[in-house]
C-alpha cells in the first residue's frame, strides 16, 4: 500500500474514486444534483483541477496499479489545515485504509507547521462522526447553511499543544 501526492493528470481518476465512494452517502441522505450540487458524489475532474490550482494537495492511495482511495489537504492558514474529500472505495472499507489516509494527512499537516486539522461532515451521519471521534477529532459546532439540505458538523483535531 502506498499513499502519494496525486498529479493534475490524475484528476479524472480521483474524481471517479470520490464519486464512487460518496454514492452511498448521497443515496442515504437523498442528495441529488438539484438539492446538493457540490456534493462529492457529483465530483468532476474540473473540481479537482480547480482545487489543485488553489493549492489543495490530493493524495492517492494505491496497491500496485489499483487505486482504492484518496484524500485532500488544504492549508487554510498557518495554523489550520482542512481534511477534504476522504474517499475509500466501498469494497476496500473497514480495513483501516481510511484511517491510514487520515494519518497521512495529519502527518503532512504537522510537517507544514499546522496546529490543527479541521473537517466538515453531514451532521446526521452518526457513524462517520463517531469514527472521527475515535480518531481523536472533537466536534466544534453544527451549522445549517441555506444552500444545503443538511446541517454540517465541524470537527477538529489538535496536532500540537496550543
Amino acid at each position: 500500500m502506498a499513499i502519494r501526492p496525486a498529479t493534475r493528470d490524475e484528476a479524472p481518476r480521483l474524481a471517479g474514486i470520490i464519486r464512487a465512494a460518496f454514492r452511498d452517502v448521497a443515496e442515504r441522505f437523498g442528495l441529488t444534483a438539484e438539492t446538493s450540487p457540490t456534493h462529492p458524489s457529483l465530483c468532476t475532474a474540473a473540481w479537482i483541477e480547480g482545487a489543485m490550482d488553489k493549492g489543495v494537495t490530493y493524495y492517492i492511495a494505491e496497491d500496485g496499479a489499483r487505486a482504492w482511495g484518496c484524500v485532500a489537504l488544504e492549508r487554510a492558514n498557518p495554523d489550520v489545515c482542512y481534511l477534504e474529500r476522504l474517499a475509500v472505495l466501498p469494497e476496500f472499507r473497514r480495513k483501516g485504509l481510511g484511517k491510514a489516509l487520515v494519518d497521512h494527512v495529519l502527518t503532512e499537516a504537522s510537517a507544514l507547521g499546522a496546529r490543527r486539522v479541521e473537517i466538515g461532515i453531514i451532521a446526521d451521519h452518526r457513524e462517520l462522526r463517531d469514527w472521527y471521534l475515535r480518531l481523536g477529532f472533537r466536534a466544534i459546532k453544527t451549522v445549517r447553511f441555506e444552500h444545503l439540505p443538511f446541517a454540517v458538523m465541524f470537527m477538529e483535531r489538535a496536532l500540537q499543544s496550543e
Side-chain angles (χ1 to χ4, degrees):
M1 174 184 80
I3 300 172
R4 61 170 176 78
T7 66
R8 187 178 177 84
D9 292 342
E10 291 175 300
R13 186 180 194 194
L14 292 165
I17 292 167
I18 292 166
R19 280 192 311 273
F22 280 87
R23 186 173 298 124
D24 61 336
V25 175
E27 290 171 3
R28 176 178 174 182
F29 291 98
L31 306 176
T32 65
E34 293 76 31
T35 64
S36 189
T38 59
H39 189 263
S41 61
L42 303 168
C43 187
T44 67
W47 292 7
I48 305 290
E49 291 166 355
M52 287 178 166
D53 290 344
K54 293 177 183 173
V56 176
T57 302
Y58 276 83
Y59 297 93
I60 193 163
E62 55 196 1
D63 190 3
R66 175 84 196 250
W68 52 262
C70 65
V71 67
L73 180 67
E74 178 179 1
R75 187 148 196 200
N77 63 54
D79 290 333
V80 178
C81 285
Y82 298 144
L83 186 157
E84 301 173 345
R85 304 293 192 239
L86 175 63
V88 175
L89 293 173
E91 63 268 29
F92 293 97
R93 292 181 183 157
R94 303 202 187 306
K95 298 177 181 180
L97 303 174
K99 181 183 181 312
L101 285 165
V102 170
D103 288 345
H104 186 81
V105 162
L106 295 174
T107 298
E108 293 294 323
S110 186
L112 291 171
R115 296 169 65 102
R116 67 183 180 279
V117 171
E118 297 180 359
I119 187 167
I121 65 168
I122 295 174
D124 288 338
H125 198 315
R126 290 180 184 89
E127 299 89 346
L128 186 60
R129 178 202 60 211
D130 292 346
W131 183 74
Y132 276 112
L133 289 171
R134 287 192 302 274
L135 293 181
F137 285 77
R138 69 180 186 93
I140 306 168
K141 63 183 173 182
T142 299
V143 178
R144 181 158 291 281
F145 294 98
E146 188 174 306
H147 69 283
L148 294 176
F150 53 83
V152 176
M153 175 180 286
F154 291 96
M155 303 181 80
E156 71 177 8
R157 176 163 166 188
L159 297 175
Q160 304 167 7
S161 59
E162 295 194 52

